[in-house]
Structure formats: C-alpha cells, structure tokens
C-alpha cells in the first residue's frame, strides 16, 4: 500500500537536522560523498540512546541473549560460504538521456513501456548485475589472495562465532546472540536522506532454536519488536507489518515480516524479522569443515539449530524518531504573544539532552551558582545542558527545537527572596505541554530519573 508523501515536511526535517547539529553530510567542505553521513553533537547522542535502549531490552533484560562485537573485515571464505560473493548484487539500469543510474525496481512502467522516473525517457539500458560489497585488500600486496570485503551485514560474524559463544555462555536453546555494528553496501542510488546509505549501522539478533520452534518464535519476535518501537515513542498507527510473500523472500526463509514506518517520503522498511531456518550455520559448517551442531543434553541429539533474525537499521530508526517527533505549534513569547514553535517531541528515554538548566538572569551570581550546582547534581545521571544567554522564553524555544523534554529554571523563589517556603525549589517545565510545576531541588533527580527511564 502506498503512503502519501510530504516533500515539504521532509525538507524542513533535513534542514533542522543540519541547523541544530543532528546530521551533516560527510566530507561536506569537499562537496560531500553521496550516501554517507556524519552525526553531529545531538545526533550522536540520539543514536547512542537508541542503541543503548535496544541493548538494554534485547540483552540486559533477558536471560536468553548474550552479546558480541565482530570485526568488520573477515576471511573472504566467509562471504563465499554465505553466498554474498556470488549473489549479493542488484540489477542496475542507466537512462541514456539524463544519465540517471538506478536499480531496476525503480524503473516505472507506463502503458507497457519502461520509463526513467527522472525524465520519462524510454531509452534505458538492459538490467545488469551490480555487486553491492566494497572490495578491499588485507596485507602488503593487492592480489587475488589478499581480497576481502567490508561486511554488508553483521549477521555472518555471529554465525561463524556461534560455537565459541555457545561454549563460553553455556546457554541452552532457545537463545540469542546480539550485535550492533557497522555495515557497508555500495548502493546504486542512495536516497531519502539517511534512509538508504552506503555506510550504516545494524542492530541484529540471531535467535537460535529447535526446528519446530521457528514459526512460533517468528511471531513472538515480530510482536516484541513492535513493542520496542512503541516504547521509544513511535506511534503504532505509523507502524505496519508486511508479510513478505514467497516470491520475495530469500529461498532459505520460511517466513519474513517487514516492519514498516510511514516516513514523509512514503512507507518504508524499518526492520526485517526473518526465519532463516538452518541455512547459515549449515553453509558455514559445510565450507569450513568445522562442526556447528548443537548437542542437546536431554535428548542426546545433535543437530544444526534454526534461527530467527530480527534485524533493525540504526540510522533508519533514528530518522524515524526524528520524523515522528517533528512538530509545529504555537507558544507564548516572553510578552505573552503567540509565536510559531518547532518542537521535537522525542520520548524522554531517547532524547539527546534530557534536561536543560537555566538561571533566570545571568548577571545575578547567586542564581548562576545555584543553577550550576543543579547541573553538577544531575550530570552523573543524565545528559544535562546549561544555558544562561537570552530571554528565558528563547532558551525554552531552543531546547524545544532539539527535543529536550525538561527545563529547570532557577529564579528568585529558589533563593527564598519572595517566599521562604519556596527556598531551594525550582520551576520544572515539560516540553510538550509547556506546563510548569514547582519542585524541590532535593526531589529533582528522582523525579527526572523516573520520567526518562
């Protein structure tokens, strides 16, 4: 099903990402490099919070999952055994008129004729294979014997280390191995901002099980992953599950779900949840000659486990979080006049900055000292930002635009100058509702910790 696109909204999101330090084009001062992106001060915090929460949910809060961190470069034999070296390619088509290069599935068809989606020309080349792996060399010589590839996915390092992890972790089936790491694909046509990039990060789980458990666990992990997205602030109404039909699935898969999100540029995949059977372990056992079987102590059987794989893109999820959070409304300025406000309504657990602390006036030393004391109180527990410049309303607006969920203002009541009963209290402002409440400094850490958990 197609989803309406909103090009203007996407343009504003891309502009905000650069203006406020979320995402920059890689090598921008040299004209950039297509399909590659750098995360700025706020973007790296948002990305780290996402990865940390994924790790917490998928590893730390479970007894049946352990983690690993595999190397980006592996023996070339890994990619031969997995089938990537021979088959990891996309069909590519060129338009002879406007010189656009595209994947074959991007070509449009009108009245039975293939057309370029850019200029409408029918003068197109025939599809030809384009290999997606980046080739490199290991060692002092650049010859056939030293070829390997930048990994196009993180899963294979989990499969080739399966036996080692099994032995040291002493887990019994079903159990999983989780990994977050970089992957690289030489995309024909990177597009839609960071959605399709040549360098990206994956959050992957390989959940090993008995053959008869595969389909049941596929359903289980689909539901778990949907809950994850809701718990980081993505509305269930904007998430969709696509049951991938037989003709589109990998030949070794018995079932695959795509979890899709309604981006401003259309509905696109966030994560795949696939039942990969025993294909990967079987391939590596056959190619390496090393046993990757599991021995069941209870039944005394040896067999190659099957695997269910929830595989999510970090960069795609970050982009979905920003798109979901972006909002425009109105807020009163310091004189009470309503003005336009851009606000990123991030869930507090993923927001880059959790709390901003403001002294009401920067030229009152007592206010500044107290505000900096609060910063030091909170800083060991969360990312805090201190700001003393400009009118307090403007400072609120700046934090709203980057998605900071809470603002703490130190004012004259904090010093007990107007009402002694308010001594050592502060104004706590909530980003989305803009409501303000008076809280004790001694209660502030516990209160914020609960709200950002």
């Amino acid at each position: 099903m197609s989803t309406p696109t909103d090009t203007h909204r996407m343009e504003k999101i891309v502009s905000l990402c650069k203006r406020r330090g979320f995402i920059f084009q890689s090598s921008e001062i040299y004209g950039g490099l297509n399909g590659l992106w750098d995360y700025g001060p706020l973007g790296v915090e948002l990305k780290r919070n996402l990865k940390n929460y994924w790790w917490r949910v998928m590893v730390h809060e479970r007894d049946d999952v352990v983690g690993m961190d595999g190397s980006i470069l592996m023996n070339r034999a890994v990619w031969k055994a997995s089938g990537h070296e021979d088959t990891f390619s996309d069909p590519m088509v060129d338009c002879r008129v406007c010189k656009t290069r595209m994947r074959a599935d991007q070509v449009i068809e009108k009245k039975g004729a293939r057309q370029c989606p850019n200029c409408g020309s029918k003068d197109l080349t025939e599809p030809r294979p384009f290999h997606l792996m980046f080739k490199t060399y290991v060692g002092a010589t650049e010859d056939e014997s030293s070829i390997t590839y930048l990994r196009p996915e993180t899963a294979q390092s989990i499969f080739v280390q399966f036996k080692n992890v099994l032995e040291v972790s002493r887990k019994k089936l079903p159990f999983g191995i989780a990994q977050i790491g970089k992957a690289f694909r030489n995309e024909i046509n990177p597009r839609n901002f960071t959605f399709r990039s040549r360098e990206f990060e994956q959050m992957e789980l390989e959940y090993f099980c008995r053959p008869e458990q595969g389909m049941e666990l596929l359903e289980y992990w689909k539901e778990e992953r949907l809950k994850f997205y809701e718990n980081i602030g993505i509305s269930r109404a904007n998430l969709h599950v696509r049951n991938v039909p037989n003709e589109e699935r990998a030949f070794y898969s018995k079932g695959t779900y795509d979890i899709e999100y309604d981006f401003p540029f259309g509905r696109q995949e966030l994560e795949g949840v696939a039942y990969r059977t025993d294909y990967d372990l079987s391939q590596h056992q056959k190619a390496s000659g090393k046993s990757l079987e599991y021995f069941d102590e209870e039944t005394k059987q040896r067999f190659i486990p099957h695997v269910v794989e929830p595989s999510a893109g970090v960069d795609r999820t970050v982009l979905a979080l920003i798109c979901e959070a972006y909002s425009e409304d109105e807020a009163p300025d310091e004189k009470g006049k309503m003005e336009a406000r851009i606000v990123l309504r991030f869930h507090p657990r993923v927001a880059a900055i959790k709390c901003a602390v403001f002294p009401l006036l920067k030229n009152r030393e007592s206010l500044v000292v107290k505000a900096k004391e609060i910063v030091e109180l909170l800083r060991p527990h969360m990312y805090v930002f201190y700001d003393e410049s400009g009118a307090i309303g403007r400072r609120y607006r700046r934090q709203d635009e980057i998605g900071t969920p809470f603002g703490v203002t130190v004012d004259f009541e904090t010093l007990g100058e107007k009402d002694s009963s308010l001594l050592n209290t502060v104004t706590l402002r909530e980003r989305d509702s803009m409501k303000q409440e008076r809280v004790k400094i001694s209660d502030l850490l516990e209160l914020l910790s609960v709200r950002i958990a």
Side-chain angles (χ1 to χ4, degrees), residues 147-158:
I147 290 175
T148 191
Y149 303 93
L150 301 185
R151 66 182 182 192
E153 63 176 35
T154 60
Q156 296 306 318
S157 59
I158 296 177

Side-chain angles (χ1 to χ4, degrees), residues 17-18 25 38 42 119 164 182 199 244 298 343 366 374 387 396:
C17 283
K18 180 178 180 181
Q25 187 176 23
D38 296 336
L42 293 176
C119 71
N164 284 334
K182 291 273 192 178
E199 177 182 335
V244 179
E298 295 178 6
V343 55
S366 53
I374 294 172
D387 189 1
Y396 285 152

Side-chain angles (χ1 to χ4, degrees), residues 277-331:
T277 64
D278 62 352
Y279 173 77
D280 299 279
L281 290 181
S282 295
Q283 286 294 106
H284 289 301
Q285 176 172 282
K286 180 181 177 181
S288 68
K290 305 291 172 51
S291 173
L292 295 178
E293 292 181 328
Y294 174 84
F295 178 67
D296 191 318
E297 294 283 354
E298 295 178 6
T299 65
K300 307 303 180 185
Q301 291 179 310
R302 291 185 182 275
F303 59 92
I304 294 177
H306 284 219
V307 66
V308 175
E309 177 195 76
S311 177
V314 176
D315 306 85
R316 290 183 176 189
T317 306
V318 166
L319 182 57
L321 286 170
I322 295 172
C323 292
E324 183 80 9
Y326 184 87
S327 179
E328 297 177 10
D329 61 13
E330 290 188 331

Side-chain angles (χ1 to χ4, degrees), residues 162-303:
F162 165 74
K163 206 62 180 282
N164 284 334
V165 174
L166 174 64
E167 289 174 358
V168 300
S169 63
R170 299 169 57 216
K171 296 292 182 185
K172 294 183 178 181
L173 293 181
F175 80 98
I177 303 173
Q179 181 173 203
I180 299 175
K182 291 273 192 178
F184 306 83
R185 295 181 185 178
N186 193 14
E187 294 284 353
I188 297 169
N189 187 17
R191 64 192 187 280
N192 292 329
F193 198 27
T194 58
F195 178 80
R196 189 175 293 280
S197 304
R198 290 185 166 119
E199 177 182 335
F200 54 96
E201 256 183 303
Q202 291 180 300
M203 303 180 288
E204 285 197 320
L205 172 69
E206 303 303 330
Y207 197 76
F208 299 95
C209 62
R210 292 175 175 81
E212 63 271 18
Q213 297 173 303
M215 294 305 293
E216 178 185 347
L217 287 170
L218 177 66
E219 298 298 322
Y220 168 79
W221 279 112
K222 176 194 71 175
E223 294 303 320
E224 286 297 296
R225 299 306 301 144
L226 286 169
K227 283 191 280 185
F228 173 85
Y229 289 111
E230 291 184 87
N231 288 339
I232 58 174
I234 295 179
S235 169
R236 185 67 180 83
N238 292 328
L239 294 168
H240 309 274
V241 177
R242 178 174 178 261
N243 192 344
V244 179
N246 291 345
E247 61 272 17
E248 294 182 31
R249 291 200 311 263
F251 69 90
Y252 50 78
S253 171
K254 280 193 174 181
T256 299
Y257 290 114
D258 284 347
I259 298 176
E260 300 176 325
Y261 174 74
D262 290 332
F263 288 95
F265 46 80
R267 185 174 297 174
Q268 297 287 344
E269 180 189 349
L270 269 185
E271 172 165 352
V273 184
Y275 173 27
R276 298 174 67 124
T277 64
D278 62 352
Y279 173 77
D280 299 279
L281 290 181
S282 295
Q283 286 294 106
H284 289 301
Q285 176 172 282
K286 180 181 177 181
S288 68
K290 305 291 172 51
S291 173
L292 295 178
E293 292 181 328
Y294 174 84
F295 178 67
D296 191 318
E297 294 283 354
E298 295 178 6
T299 65
K300 307 303 180 185
Q301 291 179 310
R302 291 185 182 275
F303 59 92

